[in-house]
Amino acid sequence: MAQSAQFTTPVDAVVSRMRTLDAELPERDGLAVFNRVYLTVTEEFDRHLDTGVFPDRRAAITLDVRFAERYLAVAEEGRAPASWRPVLQFRRHPGVRPLQFALAGINAHIGHDLALALVDTCRTLDCEPADLEDEFDRVGDLLVSLEEHIREDLMPGPDLLQIADPLTHLLGSWSLERARQATWAAARALWALRGLPDLAEEFAERLDAAVGLAGRMLLTPLPT
């Protein structure tokens, strides 16, 4: 209880857990690569909370925390849905570059976790997905900044990133904007299916598997 008292918002507690992971994970570990960039964007989100960027501060915090907790369950407890398994399986593979781990983590977190987090948030706040569209869009904008941060920090120099480089082809095979659009549609579908739990569970499992397949492709080992 004494430790939690130091946190101003639930987002502060999430940031603290990510910092602990950053200190504990080996620097070149694939999960550590994703954790560093996710920590950066979550800190940025925390700074934006008091600036009026989010129309509904409570909804934004709830969505952000539900979203982060799904990743933290993987990182801290090893509970890996299919979408995250490629990252955990290949996290120490010498032929996978840091940029690939970062993008595969974003793929799993946006493609799978965000849709389920949005549904969790709707249940918590007793609202519809449409009521959270502004918060979803603004969280998505921060994720765009995460991708930009990744590309700035982890992108090979222009002499290495030639058109013949396999990494160039992998970068062109995945789009954050398309992933955001697909996630919004998936969340709305899951919400619409909430009265049909068996069908909703099957839909969620299919989504998880499809995102995991994309992640496995992003982590194809490449020649250095």
Side-chain angles (χ1 to χ4, degrees):
M1 182 66 68
Q3 183 181 12
S4 63
Q6 65 182 296
F7 301 131
T8 304
T9 72
V11 180
D12 293 330
V14 165
V15 167
S16 178
R17 290 163 69 186
M18 290 183 189
R19 286 175 178 163
T20 298
L21 285 166
D22 185 49
E24 293 176 349
L25 292 171
E27 183 178 359
R28 296 184 63 84
D29 183 292
L31 194 63
V33 173
F34 174 77
N35 187 78
R36 283 194 294 272
V37 291
Y38 192 28
L39 171 58
T40 297
V41 79
T42 305
E43 290 172 334
E44 186 69 14
F45 174 89
D46 205 12
R47 286 191 289 270
H48 278 65
L49 278 174
D50 295 321
T51 65
V53 170
F54 298 99
D56 186 333
R57 188 174 184 271
R58 177 174 175 243
I61 289 174
T62 304
L63 177 58
D64 185 75
V65 171
R66 294 288 186 275
F67 188 31
E69 284 176 343
R70 288 189 171 273
Y71 156 69
L72 289 168
V74 173
E76 295 173 341
E77 304 167 26
R79 291 188 299 166
S83 50
W84 277 101
R85 280 178 210 145
V87 175
L88 298 187
Q89 290 170 350
F90 286 80
R91 61 194 294 183
R92 295 179 181 86
H93 196 296
V96 179
R97 304 184 197 181
L99 179 57
Q100 292 175 258
F101 285 121
L103 291 181
I106 294 176
N107 170 71
H109 201 39
I110 293 178
H112 175 258
D113 297 350
L114 184 53
L116 273 61
L118 188 66
V119 172
D120 290 344
T121 302
C122 287
R123 290 196 177 104
T124 299
L125 301 179
D126 192 22
C127 65
E128 299 283 328
D131 299 325
L132 298 175
E133 189 167 7
D134 284 342
E135 286 67 37
F136 177 90
D137 287 342
R138 282 163 176 75
V139 169
D141 290 342
L142 284 174
L143 292 169
V144 169
S145 72
L146 182 153
E147 187 187 35
E148 291 171 352
H149 176 79
I150 286 171
R151 291 178 183 272
E152 288 174 3
D153 282 10
L154 301 178
M155 184 78 79
D159 56 327
L160 296 178
L161 196 63
Q162 303 297 332
I163 194 166
D165 190 328
L167 183 58
T168 304
H169 296 278
L170 279 178
L171 290 175
S173 70
W174 187 84
S175 163
L176 176 58
E177 186 55 38
R178 288 197 299 268
R180 285 174 62 182
Q181 293 170 356
T183 294
W184 178 248
R188 292 175 62 201
L190 283 168
W191 185 251
L193 292 171
R194 66 191 183 282
L196 301 168
D198 290 344
L199 191 55
E201 182 179 0
E202 181 179 353
F203 182 92
E205 288 175 356
R206 301 287 184 182
L207 174 67
D208 190 21
V211 172
L213 178 60
R216 175 62 185 85
M217 292 177 180
L218 286 169
L219 293 174
T220 300
L222 302 174
T224 57

PDB file of all heavy atoms in Angstrom, residues 48-74:
ATOM      1  N   HIS A  48       0.798  13.904 -21.167  1.00  0.00           N
ATOM      2  CA  HIS A  48      -0.311  14.549 -21.879  1.00  0.00           C
ATOM      3  C   HIS A  48      -1.612  14.585 -21.074  1.00  0.00           C
ATOM      4  O   HIS A  48      -2.529  15.325 -21.426  1.00  0.00           O
ATOM      5  CB  HIS A  48      -0.581  13.822 -23.204  1.00  0.00           C
ATOM      6  CG  HIS A  48       0.332  14.229 -24.319  1.00  0.00           C
ATOM      7  ND1 HIS A  48       1.682  13.994 -24.290  1.00  0.00           N
ATOM      8  CD2 HIS A  48       0.090  14.863 -25.489  1.00  0.00           C
ATOM      9  CE1 HIS A  48       2.233  14.455 -25.405  1.00  0.00           C
ATOM     10  NE2 HIS A  48       1.283  14.989 -26.144  1.00  0.00           N
ATOM     11  N   LEU A  49      -1.691  13.814 -20.003  1.00  0.00           N
ATOM     12  CA  LEU A  49      -2.962  13.674 -19.289  1.00  0.00           C
ATOM     13  C   LEU A  49      -3.488  14.995 -18.741  1.00  0.00           C
ATOM     14  O   LEU A  49      -4.701  15.214 -18.687  1.00  0.00           O
ATOM     15  CB  LEU A  49      -2.810  12.658 -18.144  1.00  0.00           C
ATOM     16  CG  LEU A  49      -2.917  11.188 -18.538  1.00  0.00           C
ATOM     17  CD1 LEU A  49      -2.613  10.301 -17.345  1.00  0.00           C
ATOM     18  CD2 LEU A  49      -4.287  10.868 -19.122  1.00  0.00           C
ATOM     19  N   ASP A  50      -2.598  15.858 -18.312  1.00  0.00           N
ATOM     20  CA  ASP A  50      -3.034  17.108 -17.694  1.00  0.00           C
ATOM     21  C   ASP A  50      -3.013  18.287 -18.658  1.00  0.00           C
ATOM     22  O   ASP A  50      -3.138  19.438 -18.234  1.00  0.00           O
ATOM     23  CB  ASP A  50      -2.143  17.423 -16.480  1.00  0.00           C
ATOM     24  CG  ASP A  50      -2.291  16.389 -15.376  1.00  0.00           C
ATOM     25  OD1 ASP A  50      -3.432  15.943 -15.161  1.00  0.00           O
ATOM     26  OD2 ASP A  50      -1.276  16.024 -14.756  1.00  0.00           O
ATOM     27  N   THR A  51      -2.880  18.020 -19.940  1.00  0.00           N
ATOM     28  CA  THR A  51      -2.793  19.112 -20.918  1.00  0.00           C
ATOM     29  C   THR A  51      -4.101  19.340 -21.672  1.00  0.00           C
ATOM     30  O   THR A  51      -4.169  20.232 -22.511  1.00  0.00           O
ATOM     31  CB  THR A  51      -1.676  18.833 -21.936  1.00  0.00           C
ATOM     32  OG1 THR A  51      -2.032  17.674 -22.708  1.00  0.00           O
ATOM     33  CG2 THR A  51      -0.340  18.602 -21.243  1.00  0.00           C
ATOM     34  N   GLY A  52      -5.114  18.520 -21.410  1.00  0.00           N
ATOM     35  CA  GLY A  52      -6.379  18.672 -22.115  1.00  0.00           C
ATOM     36  C   GLY A  52      -6.423  18.008 -23.474  1.00  0.00           C
ATOM     37  O   GLY A  52      -7.375  18.201 -24.236  1.00  0.00           O
ATOM     38  N   VAL A  53      -5.414  17.210 -23.785  1.00  0.00           N
ATOM     39  CA  VAL A  53      -5.387  16.514 -25.074  1.00  0.00           C
ATOM     40  C   VAL A  53      -6.527  15.514 -25.167  1.00  0.00           C
ATOM     41  O   VAL A  53      -7.123  15.322 -26.226  1.00  0.00           O
ATOM     42  CB  VAL A  53      -4.028  15.810 -25.270  1.00  0.00           C
ATOM     43  CG1 VAL A  53      -4.066  14.872 -26.476  1.00  0.00           C
ATOM     44  CG2 VAL A  53      -2.920  16.848 -25.450  1.00  0.00           C
ATOM     45  N   PHE A  54      -6.838  14.871 -24.034  1.00  0.00           N
ATOM     46  CA  PHE A  54      -7.886  13.845 -24.019  1.00  0.00           C
ATOM     47  C   PHE A  54      -9.207  14.449 -23.532  1.00  0.00           C
ATOM     48  O   PHE A  54      -9.273  14.958 -22.404  1.00  0.00           O
ATOM     49  CB  PHE A  54      -7.475  12.682 -23.122  1.00  0.00           C
ATOM     50  CG  PHE A  54      -6.231  11.981 -23.584  1.00  0.00           C
ATOM     51  CD1 PHE A  54      -5.002  12.260 -23.004  1.00  0.00           C
ATOM     52  CD2 PHE A  54      -6.278  11.056 -24.617  1.00  0.00           C
ATOM     53  CE1 PHE A  54      -3.853  11.616 -23.434  1.00  0.00           C
ATOM     54  CE2 PHE A  54      -5.141  10.417 -25.055  1.00  0.00           C
ATOM     55  CZ  PHE A  54      -3.927  10.697 -24.464  1.00  0.00           C
ATOM     56  N   PRO A  55     -10.254  14.402 -24.348  1.00  0.00           N
ATOM     57  CA  PRO A  55     -11.550  14.984 -23.952  1.00  0.00           C
ATOM     58  C   PRO A  55     -12.100  14.374 -22.664  1.00  0.00           C
ATOM     59  O   PRO A  55     -12.674  15.071 -21.841  1.00  0.00           O
ATOM     60  CB  PRO A  55     -12.456  14.665 -25.143  1.00  0.00           C
ATOM     61  CG  PRO A  55     -11.529  14.439 -26.287  1.00  0.00           C
ATOM     62  CD  PRO A  55     -10.291  13.849 -25.709  1.00  0.00           C
ATOM     63  N   ASP A  56     -11.929  13.065 -22.497  1.00  0.00           N
ATOM     64  CA  ASP A  56     -12.417  12.375 -21.301  1.00  0.00           C
ATOM     65  C   ASP A  56     -11.204  11.728 -20.632  1.00  0.00           C
ATOM     66  O   ASP A  56     -10.762  10.654 -21.026  1.00  0.00           O
ATOM     67  CB  ASP A  56     -13.460  11.326 -21.691  1.00  0.00           C
ATOM     68  CG  ASP A  56     -14.111  10.677 -20.480  1.00  0.00           C
ATOM     69  OD1 ASP A  56     -13.474  10.621 -19.413  1.00  0.00           O
ATOM     70  OD2 ASP A  56     -15.253  10.204 -20.611  1.00  0.00           O
ATOM     71  N   ARG A  57     -10.680  12.393 -19.623  1.00  0.00           N
ATOM     72  CA  ARG A  57      -9.445  11.928 -18.980  1.00  0.00           C
ATOM     73  C   ARG A  57      -9.613  10.539 -18.358  1.00  0.00           C
ATOM     74  O   ARG A  57      -8.739   9.683 -18.476  1.00  0.00           O
ATOM     75  CB  ARG A  57      -9.036  12.948 -17.914  1.00  0.00           C
ATOM     76  CG  ARG A  57      -7.667  12.716 -17.283  1.00  0.00           C
ATOM     77  CD  ARG A  57      -7.334  13.893 -16.361  1.00  0.00           C
ATOM     78  NE  ARG A  57      -6.004  13.771 -15.795  1.00  0.00           N
ATOM     79  CZ  ARG A  57      -5.730  13.132 -14.656  1.00  0.00           C
ATOM     80  NH1 ARG A  57      -6.718  12.544 -13.997  1.00  0.00           N
ATOM     81  NH2 ARG A  57      -4.493  13.065 -14.200  1.00  0.00           N
ATOM     82  N   ARG A  58     -10.736  10.322 -17.700  1.00  0.00           N
ATOM     83  CA  ARG A  58     -10.965   9.018 -17.052  1.00  0.00           C
ATOM     84  C   ARG A  58     -11.007   7.897 -18.085  1.00  0.00           C
ATOM     85  O   ARG A  58     -10.414   6.826 -17.894  1.00  0.00           O
ATOM     86  CB  ARG A  58     -12.274   9.058 -16.258  1.00  0.00           C
ATOM     87  CG  ARG A  58     -12.628   7.717 -15.615  1.00  0.00           C
ATOM     88  CD  ARG A  58     -13.852   7.836 -14.728  1.00  0.00           C
ATOM     89  NE  ARG A  58     -14.261   6.535 -14.207  1.00  0.00           N
ATOM     90  CZ  ARG A  58     -15.422   5.949 -14.476  1.00  0.00           C
ATOM     91  NH1 ARG A  58     -16.303   6.564 -15.272  1.00  0.00           N
ATOM     92  NH2 ARG A  58     -15.721   4.775 -13.964  1.00  0.00           N
ATOM     93  N   ALA A  59     -11.696   8.132 -19.193  1.00  0.00           N
ATOM     94  CA  ALA A  59     -11.780   7.111 -20.229  1.00  0.00           C
ATOM     95  C   ALA A  59     -10.404   6.842 -20.832  1.00  0.00           C
ATOM     96  O   ALA A  59     -10.045   5.688 -21.097  1.00  0.00           O
ATOM     97  CB  ALA A  59     -12.758   7.550 -21.323  1.00  0.00           C
ATOM     98  N   ALA A  60      -9.624   7.903 -21.042  1.00  0.00           N
ATOM     99  CA  ALA A  60      -8.294   7.736 -21.630  1.00  0.00           C
ATOM    100  C   ALA A  60      -7.387   6.923 -20.707  1.00  0.00           C
ATOM    101  O   ALA A  60      -6.661   6.029 -21.157  1.00  0.00           O
ATOM    102  CB  ALA A  60      -7.674   9.098 -21.919  1.00  0.00           C
ATOM    103  N   ILE A  61      -7.440   7.218 -19.415  1.00  0.00           N
ATOM    104  CA  ILE A  61      -6.617   6.477 -18.452  1.00  0.00           C
ATOM    105  C   ILE A  61      -7.046   5.011 -18.405  1.00  0.00           C
ATOM    106  O   ILE A  61      -6.212   4.101 -18.409  1.00  0.00           O
ATOM    107  CB  ILE A  61      -6.726   7.112 -17.053  1.00  0.00           C
ATOM    108  CG1 ILE A  61      -6.000   8.460 -17.033  1.00  0.00           C
ATOM    109  CG2 ILE A  61      -6.147   6.185 -15.988  1.00  0.00           C
ATOM    110  CD1 ILE A  61      -6.186   9.226 -15.731  1.00  0.00           C
ATOM    111  N   THR A  62      -8.351   4.781 -18.368  1.00  0.00           N
ATOM    112  CA  THR A  62      -8.851   3.401 -18.296  1.00  0.00           C
ATOM    113  C   THR A  62      -8.417   2.609 -19.512  1.00  0.00           C
ATOM    114  O   THR A  62      -7.921   1.475 -19.390  1.00  0.00           O
ATOM    115  CB  THR A  62     -10.387   3.387 -18.184  1.00  0.00           C
ATOM    116  OG1 THR A  62     -10.795   4.154 -17.049  1.00  0.00           O
ATOM    117  CG2 THR A  62     -10.906   1.962 -18.040  1.00  0.00           C
ATOM    118  N   LEU A  63      -8.561   3.190 -20.693  1.00  0.00           N
ATOM    119  CA  LEU A  63      -8.155   2.494 -21.912  1.00  0.00           C
ATOM    120  C   LEU A  63      -6.660   2.241 -21.927  1.00  0.00           C
ATOM    121  O   LEU A  63      -6.205   1.137 -22.246  1.00  0.00           O
ATOM    122  CB  LEU A  63      -8.565   3.312 -23.142  1.00  0.00           C
ATOM    123  CG  LEU A  63      -8.138   2.745 -24.510  1.00  0.00           C
ATOM    124  CD1 LEU A  63      -8.686   1.334 -24.714  1.00  0.00           C
ATOM    125  CD2 LEU A  63      -8.607   3.672 -25.634  1.00  0.00           C
ATOM    126  N   ASP A  64      -5.871   3.233 -21.565  1.00  0.00           N
ATOM    127  CA  ASP A  64      -4.418   3.080 -21.589  1.00  0.00           C
ATOM    128  C   ASP A  64      -3.958   1.997 -20.621  1.00  0.00           C
ATOM    129  O   ASP A  64      -3.090   1.181 -20.956  1.00  0.00           O
ATOM    130  CB  ASP A  64      -3.755   4.409 -21.232  1.00  0.00           C
ATOM    131  CG  ASP A  64      -2.246   4.340 -21.360  1.00  0.00           C
ATOM    132  OD1 ASP A  64      -1.749   4.346 -22.501  1.00  0.00           O
ATOM    133  OD2 ASP A  64      -1.558   4.256 -20.326  1.00  0.00           O
ATOM    134  N   VAL A  65      -4.538   1.969 -19.426  1.00  0.00           N
ATOM    135  CA  VAL A  65      -4.122   0.987 -18.421  1.00  0.00           C
ATOM    136  C   VAL A  65      -4.575  -0.416 -18.800  1.00  0.00           C
ATOM    137  O   VAL A  65      -3.804  -1.378 -18.687  1.00  0.00           O
ATOM    138  CB  VAL A  65      -4.651   1.386 -17.026  1.00  0.00           C
ATOM    139  CG1 VAL A  65      -4.409   0.269 -16.018  1.00  0.00           C
ATOM    140  CG2 VAL A  65      -3.971   2.677 -16.566  1.00  0.00           C
ATOM    141  N   ARG A  66      -5.826  -0.550 -19.273  1.00  0.00           N
ATOM    142  CA  ARG A  66      -6.284  -1.876 -19.712  1.00  0.00           C
ATOM    143  C   ARG A  66      -5.390  -2.392 -20.850  1.00  0.00           C
ATOM    144  O   ARG A  66      -5.068  -3.573 -20.931  1.00  0.00           O
ATOM    145  CB  ARG A  66      -7.741  -1.808 -20.186  1.00  0.00           C
ATOM    146  CG  ARG A  66      -8.745  -1.495 -19.109  1.00  0.00           C
ATOM    147  CD  ARG A  66      -8.941  -2.685 -18.162  1.00  0.00           C
ATOM    148  NE  ARG A  66     -10.014  -2.405 -17.215  1.00  0.00           N
ATOM    149  CZ  ARG A  66      -9.868  -1.738 -16.076  1.00  0.00           C
ATOM    150  NH1 ARG A  66      -8.673  -1.280 -15.745  1.00  0.00           N
ATOM    151  NH2 ARG A  66     -10.886  -1.535 -15.265  1.00  0.00           N
ATOM    152  N   PHE A  67      -5.023  -1.491 -21.734  1.00  0.00           N
ATOM    153  CA  PHE A  67      -4.166  -1.808 -22.876  1.00  0.00           C
ATOM    154  C   PHE A  67      -2.790  -2.276 -22.385  1.00  0.00           C
ATOM    155  O   PHE A  67      -2.304  -3.354 -22.756  1.00  0.00           O
ATOM    156  CB  PHE A  67      -4.048  -0.547 -23.725  1.00  0.00           C
ATOM    157  CG  PHE A  67      -3.351  -0.703 -25.051  1.00  0.00           C
ATOM    158  CD1 PHE A  67      -3.394  -1.880 -25.774  1.00  0.00           C
ATOM    159  CD2 PHE A  67      -2.653   0.381 -25.588  1.00  0.00           C
ATOM    160  CE1 PHE A  67      -2.755  -1.985 -27.006  1.00  0.00           C
ATOM    161  CE2 PHE A  67      -2.022   0.288 -26.811  1.00  0.00           C
ATOM    162  CZ  PHE A  67      -2.065  -0.896 -27.519  1.00  0.00           C
ATOM    163  N   ALA A  68      -2.171  -1.497 -21.521  1.00  0.00           N
ATOM    164  CA  ALA A  68      -0.827  -1.820 -21.033  1.00  0.00           C
ATOM    165  C   ALA A  68      -0.813  -3.110 -20.218  1.00  0.00           C
ATOM    166  O   ALA A  68       0.148  -3.893 -20.284  1.00  0.00           O
ATOM    167  CB  ALA A  68      -0.294  -0.668 -20.196  1.00  0.00           C
ATOM    168  N   GLU A  69      -1.871  -3.344 -19.441  1.00  0.00           N
ATOM    169  CA  GLU A  69      -1.886  -4.528 -18.587  1.00  0.00           C
ATOM    170  C   GLU A  69      -1.853  -5.827 -19.388  1.00  0.00           C
ATOM    171  O   GLU A  69      -1.340  -6.843 -18.913  1.00  0.00           O
ATOM    172  CB  GLU A  69      -3.122  -4.494 -17.674  1.00  0.00           C
ATOM    173  CG  GLU A  69      -2.963  -3.518 -16.511  1.00  0.00           C
ATOM    174  CD  GLU A  69      -4.208  -3.401 -15.667  1.00  0.00           C
ATOM    175  OE1 GLU A  69      -5.296  -3.813 -16.162  1.00  0.00           O
ATOM    176  OE2 GLU A  69      -4.120  -2.899 -14.532  1.00  0.00           O
ATOM    177  N   ARG A  70      -2.387  -5.795 -20.601  1.00  0.00           N
ATOM    178  CA  ARG A  70      -2.339  -7.002 -21.431  1.00  0.00           C
ATOM    179  C   ARG A  70      -0.892  -7.310 -21.850  1.00  0.00           C
ATOM    180  O   ARG A  70      -0.484  -8.465 -21.887  1.00  0.00           O
ATOM    181  CB  ARG A  70      -3.258  -6.860 -22.641  1.00  0.00           C
ATOM    182  CG  ARG A  70      -4.729  -6.936 -22.249  1.00  0.00           C
ATOM    183  CD  ARG A  70      -5.673  -7.025 -23.419  1.00  0.00           C
ATOM    184  NE  ARG A  70      -7.025  -7.305 -22.934  1.00  0.00           N
ATOM    185  CZ  ARG A  70      -7.508  -8.527 -22.695  1.00  0.00           C
ATOM    186  NH1 ARG A  70      -6.759  -9.585 -22.936  1.00  0.00           N
ATOM    187  NH2 ARG A  70      -8.743  -8.700 -22.248  1.00  0.00           N
ATOM    188  N   TYR A  71      -0.136  -6.267 -22.169  1.00  0.00           N
ATOM    189  CA  TYR A  71       1.286  -6.483 -22.467  1.00  0.00           C
ATOM    190  C   TYR A  71       2.040  -6.919 -21.211  1.00  0.00           C
ATOM    191  O   TYR A  71       2.870  -7.840 -21.257  1.00  0.00           O
ATOM    192  CB  TYR A  71       1.914  -5.209 -23.035  1.00  0.00           C
ATOM    193  CG  TYR A  71       3.407  -5.163 -22.830  1.00  0.00           C
ATOM    194  CD1 TYR A  71       4.255  -6.040 -23.509  1.00  0.00           C
ATOM    195  CD2 TYR A  71       3.979  -4.270 -21.913  1.00  0.00           C
ATOM    196  CE1 TYR A  71       5.617  -6.032 -23.291  1.00  0.00           C
ATOM    197  CE2 TYR A  71       5.339  -4.255 -21.696  1.00  0.00           C
ATOM    198  CZ  TYR A  71       6.154  -5.132 -22.379  1.00  0.00           C
ATOM    199  OH  TYR A  71       7.507  -5.134 -22.155  1.00  0.00           O
ATOM    200  N   LEU A  72       1.770  -6.275 -20.080  1.00  0.00           N
ATOM    201  CA  LEU A  72       2.499  -6.594 -18.854  1.00  0.00           C
ATOM    202  C   LEU A  72       2.243  -8.022 -18.386  1.00  0.00           C
ATOM    203  O   LEU A  72       3.120  -8.645 -17.796  1.00  0.00           O
ATOM    204  CB  LEU A  72       2.133  -5.585 -17.763  1.00  0.00           C
ATOM    205  CG  LEU A  72       2.684  -4.169 -17.983  1.00  0.00           C
ATOM    206  CD1 LEU A  72       2.034  -3.181 -17.028  1.00  0.00           C
ATOM    207  CD2 LEU A  72       4.200  -4.152 -17.824  1.00  0.00           C
ATOM    208  N   ALA A  73       1.046  -8.541 -18.651  1.00  0.00           N
ATOM    209  CA  ALA A  73       0.776  -9.943 -18.310  1.00  0.00           C
ATOM    210  C   ALA A  73       1.705 -10.869 -19.085  1.00  0.00           C
ATOM    211  O   ALA A  73       2.153 -11.902 -18.572  1.00  0.00           O
ATOM    212  CB  ALA A  73      -0.682 -10.282 -18.604  1.00  0.00           C
ATOM    213  N   VAL A  74       2.013 -10.498 -20.309  1.00  0.00           N
ATOM    214  CA  VAL A  74       2.949 -11.285 -21.118  1.00  0.00           C
ATOM    215  C   VAL A  74       4.364 -11.129 -20.585  1.00  0.00           C
ATOM    216  O   VAL A  74       5.095 -12.104 -20.371  1.00  0.00           O
ATOM    217  CB  VAL A  74       2.888 -10.844 -22.598  1.00  0.00           C
ATOM    218  CG1 VAL A  74       3.984 -11.536 -23.420  1.00  0.00           C
ATOM    219  CG2 VAL A  74       1.521 -11.138 -23.188  1.00  0.00           C
TER     220      VAL A  74
END
